[in-house]
C-alpha cells in the first residue's frame, strides 16, 4: 500500500468516495435509497479498479486485502474524529 507514495491508498479512497460505493460501505444518507448491491460486490469492484493486475491473478486475495485496508482506514478515521470531538483540553503549548 505504501509503494509509490501510497498511490494505491489514494486510488482506494477515490473508489470509496464514489456514490455507489459509499452508500454500501457507509450506509445511505437520510432520504436516500440503498443501492441494492452487496458489500462483497462493491469490494470486488474496488479491488479490480485499484489493483487490476493482481485482481486478474487472484481476485479473492485482492478483494480481502482491499477489505482489510478499507476497515483500517475507517478505524483510523473514527479514532481521529474521536480526538477532534474531545473538549476541555485546551491548547497544548508544547
Amino acid at each position: 500500500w505504501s509503494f509509490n507514495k501510497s498511490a494505491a491508498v489514494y486510488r482506494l479512497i477515490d473508489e470509496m468516495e464514489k456514490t455507489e460505493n459509499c452508500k454500501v460501505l457507509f450506509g445511505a444518507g437520510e432520504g436516500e435509497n440503498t443501492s441494492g448491491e452487496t458489500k462483497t460486490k462493491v469490494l470486488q469492484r474496488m479491488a479490480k479498479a485499484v489493483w487490476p493486475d493482481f485482481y486478474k491473478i487472484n481476485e479473492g486475495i485482492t478483494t480481502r486485502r482491499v477489505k482489510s485496508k478499507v476497515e483500517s482506514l475507517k478505524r483510523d478515521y473514527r479514532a481521529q474524529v474521536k480526538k477532534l470531538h474531545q473538549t476541555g483540553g485546551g491548547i497544548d503549548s508544547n
Side-chain angles (χ1 to χ4, degrees):
W1 289 104
S2 61
F3 176 74
N4 195 18
K5 297 184 181 179
S6 300
V9 174
Y10 291 107
R11 286 195 311 268
L12 178 60
I13 291 170
D14 288 342
E15 289 297 316
M16 290 169 68
E17 289 178 335
K18 290 182 179 178
T19 304
E20 63 272 16
N21 298 336
C22 192
K23 281 184 179 182
V24 176
L25 295 173
F26 305 106
E30 192 172 321
E32 290 182 332
N33 293 328
T34 59
S35 69
E37 285 188 288
T38 65
K39 189 173 181 179
T40 301
K41 288 290 183 192
V42 169
L43 290 168
Q44 288 171 338
R45 180 174 57 234
M46 290 172 31
K48 189 174 183 179
V50 175
W51 299 105
D53 295 334
F54 293 123
Y55 189 82
K56 288 177 191 174
I57 296 168
N58 192 323
E59 66 183 62
I61 289 174
T62 309
T63 301
R64 284 192 299 275
R65 298 273 169 95
V66 166
K67 178 184 178 188
S68 176
K69 191 62 173 178
V70 166
E71 290 170 355
S72 172
L73 290 170
K74 287 169 64 174
R75 189 173 39 254
D76 292 347
Y77 176 81
R78 286 187 192 112
Q80 293 302 317
V81 167
K82 189 175 180 179
K83 287 180 187 177
L84 290 173
H85 282 228
Q86 292 177 350
T87 59
I91 298 175
D92 186 8
S93 61
N94 295 330

